[in-house]
Amino acid sequence: MFDECHRSQFGDMHEAITDTFKKYFLFGFTGTPIFAINSSSGGKAHLKTTVQAFGCYKHGEVANCPEEKHQTAIHTYTIVDAIADKNVLPFRVDYIRTMREKDNINDEKVRDIDREKAFMAPERIHNNVEYILKHFSQKTSRNSKPYMMTALSNVFEVASAKDRNKIEEVKNKIRLSGFNSIFAVASIDAAKLYYNEFKKQQKDIPELARLKVATIFSFGQNDEEEDGVEDENSESTEGLNASDRDFLDQAILDYNVNFKTNYDTSPEKFQNFYKDISLRMKNREIDLLIVVNMFLTGFDATTLNTLWVDKNLRMHGLLQAYSRTNRILNSIKTFGNIICFRNLEKATNDCLALFGNKEAGGIVLLKTYDEYYNGYHDGKKVVPGYYELVHELLEKFPIGQLILGEENKKTFIRLYGAILKLLNILRSFDEFAGNEILSEREFQDYHSMYIELYNEFRNFGKGDSENVNDDIVFEMELIKQVEINIDYILMLIRKYKDSNLADKEVIVSINKAIDSSIDLRNKKELIEKFVASLTPSSDIEDEWNQYVKEQKKAELEQIISEENLKPEETVNFINNSFKNGEIQAAGTAFASILPPVSRFSPTGDRTLKKETVLEKLKKYFDRFFDISNGEI
């Protein structure tokens, strides 16, 4: 059995297997088979296509086999099927020009060398990097908290040096809440130019706000492959010339400083460097990885959603590279994002027609900005766009007006859920900026209304599921995408204190921010009491930590007293729960905190006692988790 058989079974090994064994079955798996139209010019004449190596079939149908030893293909399952079955995501492709270029330039090989020189012009490299830095958060869904970033920027201007460091930390947490990306470039020389340009343009950016950029390549590329992707996933640097190897060593040194590692281009350490990059890409520790060919085939990371492209890709190489972005993660990641700095539109359409069908673009590629914003007809019905839905929201459910009746509440839930899903897509379009209709504060107000109904309906449901009712589903992952944390609230409290406790507009902002957050709502009373205790001379951070510590202890003592729990065992249980990140009712630890119960007591009484204690401790845990350090 061979995975990725489109790249591995066209040489001596395949012949050795088929010549040695007289009776055999060969199973080859590939998402991008090699046909005559996309086969390479080199290699063995009788092993140029997947059909020759594994079986005879035309695309989508079985064909007559000219050789007895070749069996027919068992099954074809294309990217169109995979997307329709929701096994992978569709793509959204942007074609960006940062310099003027003549239209309809043919990518004939005879012209590629001259064109590559133009593509590597310093001005163009500068413009492309500038575009990426400007739009990175937008494309990777890290700008999902616009009102938070605006407020933090406003506070930053008047903050002390100590507070500025805190603000940068909060900004960094927000920045890391989205996805990460790969940048595919045409050559090692291009990788070197881009890497240096990123360092140059980020030099004056505060360190916490900089993108973490890394690069990796393993050998020099000579003639470009027909598909634009050479099989370069070998972890060897032996083919690099001295200049390229020196550059890579310097880039790895930067990496070592960033991540406190100790790699270089020596054979053993380079293999570990490759593995370390793979892991950090999956953990979102690297924001952007510059590659020539590595990581464009076979690398799967659900946290990666964007591919920047400045190289000629085509056929199976194009689809393989695009497919690094479309692995399913959650409801926030709804498509793979492709940003092309070259005109690959025809190559993309040809590729989808080959590996899907002539109509594949309608399924594999997302719709246009205009269709999502203004609506479209899907062949059966008119699908309303963002503009229509938001105006319906404003008309039917004005902010501040109570929603009465179950049906009206369900209508609001469905309507705002549809808007949230469209917002998640539209924010990745450059054209959407300035066309949001709703202000940041209006979004907060509608978030509050949505969360209020979520909590109301959940109380009548069966637990904490998003589907809290048979006929409505809450888009809570999309709400949590714009989640506010306590650090952001403390920034606003500092701003309020710096106004000598006079700026009541900040208090309004604090309340709205808390109401629009799922996690902070149960901390509202705690925060309000702290704000009420402030004086113009208060040290926000120290007093907050002390205040939370005292409240944390006092509230647990109250629960212990009310439920007659064992004090020492309960404190240990709660401290361990905070360390583990959850309250665990199973096991002996929870049972050990409960008061003794007579063996003659009804079973229902013991069960009720456990449920009452568990509910109180869970509320207590949710109230103080993530806002308090240290043991009680």
Side-chain angles (χ1 to χ4, degrees), residues 271-301:
Q271 287 187 20
N272 290 330
F273 174 58
Y274 176 90
K275 293 173 184 175
D276 197 67
I277 280 186
S278 300
L279 182 61
R280 293 188 192 276
M281 284 295 293
K282 292 176 181 180
N283 291 337
R284 280 179 282 200
E285 295 176 71
I286 298 171
D287 297 318
L288 183 143
L289 178 64
I290 301 172
V291 302
V292 181
N293 294 306
M294 296 180 82
F295 286 88
L296 295 184
T297 61
F299 174 70
D300 285 339

Side-chain angles (χ1 to χ4, degrees), residues 9-155:
Q9 291 300 300
F10 298 102
D12 293 338
M13 182 175 73
H14 187 89
E15 281 197 327
I17 292 172
T18 55
D19 288 343
T20 301
F21 296 98
K22 304 307 176 186
K23 296 181 179 181
Y24 57 82
F25 290 99
L26 293 180
F27 290 89
F29 299 91
T30 175
T32 50
I34 306 299
F35 302 105
I37 191 173
N38 65 313
S39 63
S40 66
S41 55
K44 300 178 183 294
H46 63 289
L47 279 179
K48 285 186 176 296
T49 69
T50 306
V51 168
Q52 289 175 312
F54 287 94
C56 295
Y57 67 94
K58 292 180 181 177
H59 192 44
E61 62 182 59
V62 176
N64 292 325
C65 184
E67 299 180 41
E68 289 183 3
K69 69 175 182 178
H70 287 164
Q71 302 303 308
T72 56
I74 293 174
H75 183 57
T76 58
Y77 185 85
T78 71
I79 188 170
V80 176
D81 301 312
I83 291 172
D85 290 346
K86 301 188 186 307
N87 288 323
V88 294
L89 301 171
F91 303 110
R92 192 178 87 74
V93 186
D94 269 333
Y95 301 100
I96 305 297
R97 289 186 181 183
T98 59
M99 286 183 68
R100 271 311 281 177
E101 179 187 339
K102 291 181 181 178
D103 294 326
N104 301 319
I105 296 177
N106 294 323
D107 288 333
E108 293 144 352
K109 281 192 171 185
V110 70
R111 302 178 61 193
D112 279 350
I113 296 175
D114 290 336
R115 294 186 70 222
E116 285 304 324
K117 290 179 181 178
F119 283 140
M120 291 172 66
E123 183 184 356
R124 183 175 179 275
I125 298 290
H126 173 90
N127 290 347
N128 288 353
V129 170
E130 188 175 59
Y131 180 89
I132 292 172
L133 290 176
K134 181 179 179 181
H135 294 273
F136 185 89
S137 292
Q138 170 199 359
K139 302 300 183 184
T140 58
S141 297
R142 293 185 181 183
N143 66 341
S144 57
K145 307 171 178 66
Y147 51 85
M148 288 176 64
M149 296 300 279
T150 301
L152 287 172
S153 298
N154 293 338
V155 176

